[in-house]
Structures are given as C-alpha cells and as structure tokens.
Amino acid sequence: MFLRKTCQGVLQYGKGCLKLQTFKHSTAVPPRVQNSSAKRYIGKARLSSVTPSLSLLSRNIVTTSKCAQVDAAEKRNVTFEKITSFSAPYSHLKIKVAGQSLQLYYVWLRDHCQCKQCIDQKTFQKNIVTNDIPLDIQPKEVNIEGDDLVIEWPDGHVTTYSLNWLLENAYPGKPDILQVPKVLWNAETIKSQSPTPVPYQEYMDTDGGLRNMLKDLLTYGFGLVSEVPANTDATEKVARRVAFVKETLYGGMWYTRATGEYKDYKDSSFSNVGLGSHIDTCYFNEPSGIQVFHCLQEAPQGGESVLVDGFHVAMQVQKQNPDAFDYLVRTPIPHYCLDDQYHLRSVDTTFRLDPCTGDLVQFRYNNYDRGIINTIPADEIPRFYCAMKLLSQEVMSPDNEYWFKLSPGTVIFIDNWRTMHGRAEFAGERILCGCYLPRDDWLSKARYLGLAK
Ligand SMILES: [Fe+2]
Ligand SMILES: [Zn+2]
C-alpha cells in the first residue's frame, strides 16, 4: 500500500483523429506509509526526490490534437494508464497494445532509451549511467505518436520507443530467442527427419551453406558437411568457418591414429575400446560448445559412431519421474580430468535451465569423468542413485541411440551441450581428427546469420 495517483486514458486509432479522454485522478493511503517506504529506499539508493511535483501529477498524459494517419493494416487500439506513486520506484505507465499489457516503469524506460546520445552508435554500448537515474523519475510529457511512445524527461531529453520494440523487449524478458525450433529425436524419428549434409564448396563459399549446417545444429543438435578433403587442414578450415578453434589440454586441432594404446593422452577416447554415450569436457566449468569430428581413415572392423539426444533423454526422465528431473536440475555433481600436468575439476548440475524461461539449455553427462559424489548430504545418496539410474537407462536405451558410420569426407559438428556421442570398439587402425569450438562463438555466428536473436 502506498500513496498513489492514477490517470487513465483511452487512445484509439482509426481513420480519423486520435481520440482523447479526460483523465481522472484518485488518491489513497495515508502519508505515514509513504514516509516509511521512502526511508527504506533512501537507505539503499540515492534518490533525488521521493515526491514528484504537483504540477507533474496534474498533467494530462496525452496532449495532442494532430491526426494520426494510420494504415488500415496497422490499426490497433492502444489504451494506457499512468500510475504515479509517491513511493519510489513504483511509478510506471500501463499500456495495452495489440492485446498485450505492458507495465513500463519509468526508471526502466529512461534506462532503455536507445537514442544516439544514450547508445554509442559505433560500439552499441550504453552511454547512460544507470546509477544517475533517480528511482522515482517521472516524465514531463507522455505521448503516443503514430506507432511510437514518446516521452519527454524532466531534463528535456526526449525518448521515442516504437510500440513494436516495447512489445518485443519489455519485461518479463524475452531471453536469447533461437529462431529455429529444436526437434528432439530418438533412434526411430531421426531416421525420417535428420540433418542434410552440406557439400564442402557450398559450405565454404556461401553464407547459405554455412547457415544450413548451423540450422541443423540448432534443430537436431548436430550438423554435417560432406565432400571435405580427408585431411586435418581442410577439417580445420571447415571448423573455422563457424568459430575459432578452442585450445584445451588436447591442443587446438587434434589428430589421433589409434591402434589400441593410450598413445597421446591418458583418456579412453585415444584407445580402441567402445565408449558409451557421453558429453565431452564436463570437467570444464564451461564445457566445449561443439565437438568436431572427421574420420580420416575408418577402422577395418567396428568403430561405428553413436549419438543420443540429451534433451530428448531429459524429457523422458521428466515424463517418467518429475522429481528425479528436478533433483538433477539442482544437484551439483563433480567431474574431473587427471593428466600429466593437469587436474581439471568442475562441479555443476546435470541439467541446467535458462534462468528466464526455465527451458533446458545444457546437459552434462559423463560417467567416465564423474568425480567422487561428496557434494550432496548423506541422506540424499539413495535419491541421487535413483535419479542417475533412470537417466542412465535412458542414455543407454537402444530406443535413443542413433548408430552410423563416420567416413572420410564427412565432418560432423556435435552440440556438446545437448548431444552425446560414443563409439563401438574397433580393431585395426582408425585415424580421426577434430577440435572443439566455443559455445559463445558458434551461437554468435548463428545470430549473425539470422538464426537467433
Ligand atoms: Fe568424447
Ligand atoms: Zn536517449
């Protein structure tokens, strides 16, 4: 409860002029509440004033007599309500546009002015110092002009927001929007709907080719480039079309000629044993974004590859046992890697959700690299193993495993935050090269090509 003054108005577009209504004011709640509330805020932040001027409060929020020339297609009703509170920082404007209600706080509106003065036009960085904005800032003037909301601030600064921009950007936030919907898959469905390999020249020479591969990567969690010369240099060129190669303890581009010994690194991937489906580098605080593989020489026997859609597996777990899914969303699990001069370790959850939307954004699963479970209370141990068993059963289920043979000429990009990979045991020599690409940078390329916002 706080002292509040309300102005209401209805603004309608039509073929003719903007229609304005007179605004009525109402006042409520005793000033004592206002004072104590204001004190609390003063303790936390510097406020230039907690009481807006009376002249400002009595002002009509829309004062215009000009006609709006609005195309019939753009015709829409806009209603708004100005809430002026004495208890900062509650002052805001309510706008109803295109059927959506927006509650626009003045402090947010001033902070988000996108004009040339407030946003540097070369760097697109903010020039405005958010801390300089009084929490109880009030506009001098508010107008709807055509498809824009125009606000004049007390210092004379004028901000123009397009209503479309407000619809798209006003909170609750529209987080990183991928334009490409994900298609979750299992062994059956991926056979009928799967990535189309993009030929090497098209991929290297055209944005469209690169875009198609990245689109598949976003959709299915993996993408393919075909007709690539079977050598490390060509593979590196293909990888660098997406992003720079991430340096890790394995170097940048790696190359392995595995015959059954742990020749290069103390890691089972450099041997010839079969490997169950897993996510790579779970022991990094930020696991590698993409795993790139190019099989330069197939093994004479065995060595087939397998992929499992980690997001599909997660959904299966959630469907069968929502409690187990929730437990794996919030339970930290350690992973580690020990090598001659390395001791890498991270502690994080199996499923990570987007903080805004609650959508699944990352899956970590690697039983080979899993550390000692000393990160949870003793009485949760049975619950942990129960949830893990359900998850592992889904990971290892033949219903979810997509088996295929990697052959020279085809480079595969695997989203290492979503799709697990593994392989069958093999005999004889098998030559493989590849690298990791960073998550931020491959998504940056996807956004640059219009696949995400
Ligand atoms: Fe791996
Ligand atoms: Zn500005």
Side-chain angles (χ1 to χ4, degrees), residues 4-10 23-26 52-62 79-85 90-95 102 104 106 137-143 151-152:
R4 160 190 277 205
K5 204 147 199 158
T6 304
C7 309
Q8 287 191 326
V10 176
F23 302 99
K24 291 180 180 171
H25 304 280
S26 66
S53 70
L54 279 176
S55 61
L56 183 63
L57 291 174
S58 60
R59 192 183 285 272
N60 279 350
I61 55 174
V62 175
T79 64
F80 56 91
E81 182 185 7
K82 186 182 177 191
I83 311 284
T84 305
S85 159
Y90 295 118
S91 304
H92 61 273
L93 188 69
K94 279 186 177 174
I95 293 190
L102 301 178
L104 303 168
Y106 296 133
I137 190 165
Q138 301 275 343
K140 240 161 87 180
E141 192 82 35
V142 177
N143 285 302
I151 292 183
E152 186 184 346

Side-chain angles (χ1 to χ4, degrees), residues 110 113 115 118 157 159:
R110 183 65 194 89
C113 181
C115 81
C118 294
H157 191 82
T159 306

Side-chain angles (χ1 to χ4, degrees), residues 278 280 291 421:
H278 61 275
D280 265 22
Q291 166 83 276
H421 62 276

Side-chain angles (χ1 to χ4, degrees), residues 158-404:
V158 176
T159 306
T160 302
Y161 315 84
S162 84
L163 294 175
N164 284 338
W165 184 90
L166 288 170
L167 280 170
E168 201 170 312
N169 290 287
Y171 39 78
K174 311 247 181 334
D176 197 13
I177 305 163
L178 293 176
Q179 309 277 51
V180 183
K182 287 183 178 65
V183 172
L184 307 191
W185 51 265
N186 60 23
E188 190 62 35
T189 58
I190 195 65
K191 283 174 196 157
S192 55
Q193 201 185 2
S194 62
T196 310
V198 182
Y200 177 68
Q201 283 309 332
E202 185 188 334
Y203 172 88
M204 291 303 293
D205 298 344
T206 67
D207 276 357
L210 175 59
R211 195 174 184 278
N212 285 342
M213 196 287 289
L214 289 172
K215 195 174 173 186
D216 280 343
L217 195 53
L218 290 166
T219 308
Y220 303 105
F222 66 103
L224 303 158
V225 181
S226 58
E227 301 169 23
V228 181
N231 61 62
T232 312
D233 285 350
T235 309
E236 184 171 354
K237 279 183 195 152
V238 166
R240 285 186 183 276
R241 272 287 276 158
V242 174
F244 59 85
V245 171
K246 183 179 174 178
E247 284 269 350
T248 68
L249 67 160
Y250 310 109
M253 289 298 296
W254 53 259
Y255 171 93
T256 178
R257 192 182 274 265
T259 51
E261 292 164 27
Y262 293 82
K263 198 175 167 187
D264 303 301
Y265 297 92
K266 289 174 181 167
D267 191 288
S268 47
S269 30
F270 295 94
S271 72
N272 67 341
V273 299
L275 292 172
S277 299
H278 61 275
I279 293 289
D280 265 22
T281 61
C282 286
Y283 39 76
F284 290 163
N285 285 299
E286 185 182 305
S288 302
I290 288 180
Q291 166 83 276
V292 178
F293 282 132
H294 189 181
C295 182
L296 304 177
Q297 184 185 305
E298 288 178 57
Q301 261 192 309
E304 293 84 0
S305 297
V306 64
L307 297 179
V308 173
D309 185 349
F311 283 17
H312 169 74
V313 160
M315 294 305 110
Q316 293 300 108
V317 169
Q318 191 180 36
K319 206 156 78 180
Q320 292 171 50
N321 188 337
D323 282 350
F325 178 83
D326 290 344
Y327 187 71
L328 294 172
V329 164
R330 60 185 168 79
T331 303
I333 294 172
H335 290 88
Y336 75 106
C337 167
L338 278 177
D339 207 306
D340 285 344
Q341 294 184 37
Y342 291 94
H343 185 171
L344 296 152
R345 184 172 190 267
S346 79
V347 179
D348 218 320
T349 58
T350 303
F351 300 131
R352 197 160 68 79
L353 307 184
D354 183 294
C356 292
T357 61
D359 291 343
L360 182 61
V361 288
Q362 187 181 11
F363 176 52
R364 277 178 195 245
Y365 180 90
N366 191 321
N367 203 55
Y368 301 106
D369 295 338
R370 213 209 59 217
I372 293 165
I373 299 300
N374 53 10
T375 47
I376 55 177
D379 59 2
E380 285 187 18
I381 293 290
R383 200 171 173 194
F384 166 77
Y385 280 98
C386 213
M388 263 305 165
K389 184 167 272 299
L390 179 60
L391 174 63
S392 302
Q393 279 169 351
E394 286 298 322
V395 168
M396 297 163 93
S397 165
D399 290 348
N400 294 327
E401 289 181 330
Y402 171 47
W403 284 96
F404 61 101

Side-chain angles (χ1 to χ4, degrees), residues 111-119 121 126 159-161 165:
D111 187 36
H112 287 80
C113 181
Q114 304 290 299
C115 81
K116 287 179 185 172
Q117 236 176 302
C118 294
I119 300 286
Q121 295 301 292
K126 282 170 83 71
T159 306
T160 302
Y161 315 84
W165 184 90

